[in-house]
Amino acid sequence: MATKSTKPSQVLGIDIGGSGIKGAPVDVDQGALLAPRLRIPTPRPADPEAVADVLARLVDHFEWSGPIGCAFPAVIKAGVTATAANIDESWIGFDARRLFESKTGCPVSLSNDADAAGQAEMLFGAGRHHSGTVIMLTLGTGIGSAIFIDDHLVPNTELGHLVVRGKKAEHRASARVRTERQWSWKQWAKRLDEVLNTIAQLFHPDLFILGGGVSKKHHKYLPYLTTEVPVVPAELRNDAGIVGAALACRSEHSPVQERSLLGRAS
Ligand code: BGC
């Protein structure tokens, strides 16, 4: 597959997750994939060297030679992965950007996975016509969060680690907990509702966007939520992480351009 990067609007977006590492070239102006995505199972153990080897395989597959944006499930500070809630501990304090750049030979930018997905939703999905305070939560193995204030991202917010009734939100209401406990959608919605109400009391958002794999089953649990804040499902589904990783890469390299883009998408 030949998709060499030639235009500045093209970025290889890579979404690093617990079970799969997915990538595709993205047109960041359109928020669209330029080729079918490739998914490679996350190696076990998912230590930095093994994950970097998967990135190199994606680069080979797409014959890529341009910028790469990576979404990663941790707090990211200047290319360093700072935390490891649901990933191998060897990532804590690790200079992931440097390793990924040396393995791929491409410039790499890293961002938190929920921040990336949130940027994609704000520009091309459920948040595109909303301003004020918008909070995106990704419901998966953990709970990720992205807070936008008039389109500006407050990065690395980690609301999944907020303690709700003595327990971290992501241990109370992630999609994984629902599966493990074999809860019905209604039982799970009750826990999710507690988390949303706690966040609402603290941040008074104008909108919640719920992402992650469960977003496509939203009709099964949204009716049980009592929070007064409007709640909508994410729209970009599986591709939000890839598109968002690519967008975050561009905003890192040209924040002013991204600000004006986010100033109002169509
Ligand atoms: C991590 C976050 C991440 C979220 C979703 C949490 O456990 O701390 O950084 O965004 O999981 O993957």
Side-chain angles (χ1 to χ4, degrees), residues 72-75 83 85-86 112-114 138 141-145 158 161 170:
F72 196 90
V75 168
T83 58
N86 289 308
N112 170 265
D113 56 356
T138 60
T141 308
I143 293 183
S145 62
E158 297 288 319
H161 295 253
E170 71 176 12

Side-chain angles (χ1 to χ4, degrees), residues 116-137 146-152 206-211 230-237 240 247 261-266:
Q119 289 188 69
E121 287 296 332
M122 289 305 288
L123 209 43
F124 299 111
R128 69 189 178 284
H129 299 301
H130 294 270
S131 52
T133 301
V134 178
I135 299 186
M136 161 109 178
L137 297 179
I147 302 184
F148 295 86
I149 299 166
D150 287 336
D151 296 325
H152 295 268
D206 300 292
L207 181 73
F208 279 120
I209 302 173
L210 300 184
V231 184
V232 294
E235 287 178 9
L236 298 182
R237 307 283 150 84
L247 283 174
L261 270 172
L262 280 172
R264 211 49 295 166
S266 56

Side-chain angles (χ1 to χ4, degrees), residues 13 24 29 31-32 45 70 94 100 106 115 123 142 183 190 204 220 223 251:
D29 289 335
C70 280
F94 185 79
F100 292 171
C106 300
D115 286 348
L123 209 43
W183 280 335
K190 193 174 159 215
H204 301 278
K220 293 188 188 275
S251 58

